[in-house]
Amino acid sequence: GVRAGTASYRWMQVEDGAARVLSAGNLHTSLTGQNLVIKRGVLVDSGQFTFRLYASSDPTELANLDTCVYCGFAEVTVMRNLPPASGRLVTSPAQGYAQDTLFTLSAESWVDPPIPQDDYPLTYSFGYYHPSGSVRYLAVSVHTSQLKTVFPTGDAAVACAGPTDAVCHPLRLHLEVSDALDARGELPFPTWIEMLVPDGAVLQALL
């Protein structure tokens, strides 16, 4: 065997059809060290990735792994942790008065795919979108899947689609669902509520 402290190393990715990820821009570590640390967000596919670490007492042997006679190796196969999915956000009621109506937001049917395993418990972050596009959070990483809250007025630049008895602006909601390893899923499509503003009322706008 190779004595401790005398080995040279080289990482490679086994050809298995997965996207090639072992480029310098994707790594926090060198391909010639004992440890391999890949940057966050690189393993974007849902498939598996197999990495192999070669070791040799002669560093020149590692220049061509196909002809390396005095090399040993070990390999590991990893899979990307997929975020929670298949859920929705249910609001009750769908329309109400700004700063007055108490809305109930319910994150329903979210599950964590068993790839490579399911990672419970799930946590939930609720919020809404400011007209600028930024998210204003109402609760962050809570373990309850339901939130009761009032909302400010909606986007004053947009009117509700249907007829109403008061000034009405839509407000887009935001939901993030995270597993225990912080893989985050979001709503697959926009979810809106309608915010009514009574005539003559002075109400808080979006903050």
Side-chain angles (χ1 to χ4, degrees), residues 10-88:
R10 184 178 172 189
W11 286 94
M12 66 161 292
Q13 182 176 350
V14 177
E15 295 283 351
D16 56 4
R20 315 311 295 167
V21 299
L22 292 190
S23 62
N26 292 337
L27 305 176
H28 286 297
T29 53
S30 166
L31 289 177
T32 57
Q34 295 184 51
N35 301 310
L36 181 68
V37 181
I38 300 172
K39 293 181 179 179
R40 183 174 181 173
V42 170
L43 304 183
V44 296
D45 292 336
S46 59
Q48 64 184 25
F49 300 81
T50 300
F51 304 105
R52 183 176 294 175
L53 176 63
Y54 284 88
S56 176
S57 58
D58 181 359
T60 62
E61 286 280 308
L62 299 175
N64 189 341
L65 298 178
D66 292 332
T67 60
C68 186
V69 177
Y70 301 104
C71 291
F73 71 87
E75 65 182 36
V76 59
T77 298
V78 298
M79 299 182 70
R80 178 193 174 205
N81 178 31
L82 294 183
S86 304
R88 59 179 181 163

Side-chain angles (χ1 to χ4, degrees), residues 102-184:
L102 185 65
F103 288 86
T104 300
L105 310 182
S106 301
E108 297 184 352
S109 304
W110 290 86
V111 295
D112 193 46
I115 302 175
Q117 62 185 23
D118 50 38
D119 302 298
Y120 292 99
L122 303 182
T123 56
Y124 305 86
S125 297
F126 297 90
Y128 60 88
Y129 285 88
H130 186 272
S132 67
S134 62
V135 175
R136 304 298 165 92
Y137 286 94
L138 301 168
V140 176
S141 298
V142 296
H143 285 91
T144 176
S145 61
Q146 189 175 91
L147 177 72
K148 295 181 182 293
T149 185
V150 297
F151 286 102
T153 56
D155 186 349
V158 183
C160 295
T164 60
D165 296 330
V167 176
C168 180
H169 303 295
L171 183 65
R172 184 181 173 186
L173 303 181
H174 179 77
L175 173 67
E176 295 175 9
V177 182
S178 303
D179 67 15
L181 298 180
D182 203 31
R184 300 180 185 183

